[in-house]
Amino acid sequence: MARPKILVVGAGFAGVSCIRRLERRLAPEEADIALVTPYSYQLYLPLLPQVASGILTPQSVALSLRRNTKHRTKIMPGGAIGVDTKSKICVTRMITGQIVDEPYDYIVVAPGSITRTFAIPGLTEYGRGMKTLAEAAYIRDHVISQLDLADASQDEDERASRLQFVVVGGGYAGTETAACLQRLTSNAVKRYPRLDPRLIKWHLIDIAPRLMPELGENLGRSAMEVLQRRGIEVSLGVSIAEAGIDKVTFTDGRVLPCRTLIWTAGVVASPLVATLGAETVRGRLAVTAEMTLPGFDGVFALGDAAAVPDLAKGDGAVCPPTAQHAMRQGRVAAENVISSMRGRPLQPYVHKDLGLVVDLGGKDAVSKPLGIELRGLPAQAVARGYHWSALRTNVAKVRVLTNWMINAAAGDDFVRIGFLSQKPAKLEDFEYTDVYLSPEQVREHTASITARGR
């Protein structure tokens, strides 16, 4: 009798956590395990702002899957672009462009999320995301290049547009990105004697009435005070009306000369979700508390791609798309896959949020571990301690700790490596949002494969 095949889609927090538990709890002869991911690493997403600002090297937050797993999982270097739940086939586009049809008995759908955008003129052409390692590396190069170009320019209008930076999104990603990059430019400008530091302006805007509302009013206000003290202009209740190559128009009518628009205004589930043809909740798969997809045999979904009921909160709440929940959902999903194989009852996912941490760079941070509000160095110690302990490989821990120590002792460096310097950097190019099939295309594809097989 053939061993059942478990296919995990996505190497984020949820997918890798699931793989690790499956490998630990299943004997090699019990099942074959495969992982579909375009990259050979798990990205530690919360530290991306520190990569963008040069505090950490890109390799520090890219945790090798070969180190992070026990080597028995087959890693397929590609991205899932469609799932036919009736034929139990996952259509995968390999990094070579080849289309491969991967059969499964059980599938764990954890492809994560992509940057949420709106129909704002110019946004997809001129907005830069912060969801991938490549985007963080690009933004670092781009920001430093603006200083270089402004320093070399004789045109005052050009110089003004290159020295204004706009970050959209007052959540964790946007706030940390603005804080870390502003710190980088304020230190870097000391090496540019021809540039007036007062000309460098950072703007953080959000349509919401408060900054990081999840932190609570007091800590949110403390974070905003830190940003404003550094000279970052925070505008709430405001968004982008239009983006251009050298200017940005706000919804309140202001027009800023600007060549750097960083868009972090939320995320949506991966487009892979739509290929299943299942019920969704705000774009996320509507799953049970056990993370099964009702009406679909052998399908589990979790992480950013699934609206997992938050039983700890109740009242119909769903778990927020955070790493904290994703890691724990991965472990429970793995146990439920195993229980399904062995004919045992499944267990619901229950986890009470342990708190939040926000690293604002330098000695500044705000944190709320277990409901305790912290600011400054104590909050910084908690934030970095949490992130460091969450890294799954010793190599990553050593690299991150070393980078932090070097940055603390030697300060920032301002070298750009020329990453994609001659190419437009669109969101769809970095996040590959245009490669997915429709449900109809998935069915047509698998039907043609079946017909050829006959």
Side-chain angles (χ1 to χ4, degrees), residues 146-317:
Q146 298 312 297
L147 300 182
D148 290 343
L149 290 166
D151 184 62
S153 177
Q154 302 299 321
D155 186 312
E156 293 301 323
D157 290 338
E158 179 188 353
R159 181 175 291 185
S161 69
R162 293 196 183 280
L163 296 180
Q164 293 222 62
F165 306 88
V166 175
V167 179
V168 183
Y172 304 108
T175 302
E176 289 186 333
T177 296
C180 290
L181 285 172
Q182 184 276 334
R183 186 170 176 269
L184 172 68
T185 56
S186 65
N187 290 330
V189 76
K190 300 171 186 176
R191 308 285 180 171
Y192 295 81
R194 297 179 66 249
L195 293 182
D196 185 346
R198 292 172 297 180
L199 294 178
I200 299 178
K201 301 290 185 182
W202 280 88
H203 303 262
L204 176 63
I205 71 172
D206 197 293
I207 197 67
R210 283 165 48 193
L211 199 66
M212 293 183 293
E214 299 90 343
L215 277 175
E217 186 174 350
N218 292 334
L219 285 184
R221 184 170 57 249
S222 295
M224 188 158 70
E225 289 171 356
V226 168
L227 300 181
Q228 291 174 332
R229 186 170 66 246
R230 291 191 190 172
I232 298 174
E233 184 173 321
V234 181
S235 300
L236 300 176
V238 178
S239 189
I240 295 294
E242 185 176 356
I245 191 170
D246 59 1
K247 65 181 179 181
V248 172
T249 304
F250 290 179
T251 52
D252 62 6
R254 282 181 290 166
V255 180
L256 291 182
C258 171
R259 296 178 187 245
T260 305
L261 173 61
I262 302 173
W263 181 266
T264 66
V267 297
V268 293
S270 165
L272 180 68
V273 163
T275 73
L276 277 74
E279 182 184 351
T280 59
V281 177
R282 295 185 178 179
R284 302 165 72 187
L285 289 168
V287 297
T288 66
E290 294 76 20
M291 289 169 285
T292 60
L293 193 59
F296 294 80
D297 181 46
V299 179
F300 295 78
L302 58 155
D304 292 5
V308 180
D310 192 342
L311 300 184
K313 287 185 177 179
D315 295 326

Side-chain angles (χ1 to χ4, degrees), residues 11-12 16 37-44 61-65 132-134:
V16 170
T37 174
Y39 307 112
S40 62
Y41 59 82
Q42 175 197 355
L43 176 62
Y44 192 82
V61 300
L63 284 64
S64 168
L65 292 176
T132 68
L133 196 57

Side-chain angles (χ1 to χ4, degrees), residues 331-359:
R331 293 194 286 268
V332 175
E335 293 291 347
N336 284 342
V337 170
I338 295 168
S339 294
S340 294
M341 292 170 53
R342 296 173 178 174
R344 297 175 181 172
L346 310 188
Q347 63 184 52
Y349 171 74
V350 183
H351 171 66
K352 184 177 180 181
D353 202 307
L354 298 178
L356 303 162
V357 296
V358 182
D359 189 336

Side-chain angles (χ1 to χ4, degrees), residues 46-112:
L47 290 178
L48 269 191
Q50 296 191 30
V51 173
S53 61
I55 297 172
L56 300 176
T57 61
Q59 195 175 6
S60 303
V61 300
L63 284 64
S64 168
L65 292 176
R66 304 291 176 182
R67 291 180 181 272
N68 214 356
T69 60
K70 295 181 180 293
H71 312 302
R72 59 174 285 201
T73 295
K74 181 178 78 170
I75 299 175
M76 298 184 61
I81 60 174
V83 178
D84 187 332
T85 55
K86 291 184 179 180
S87 302
K88 289 197 169 184
I89 288 176
C90 178
V91 183
T92 302
R93 182 177 181 267
M94 306 298 281
I95 58 175
T96 59
Q98 177 188 6
I99 302 299
V100 174
D101 300 295
E102 193 70 13
Y104 67 84
D105 295 293
Y106 300 91
I107 187 169
V108 179
V109 181

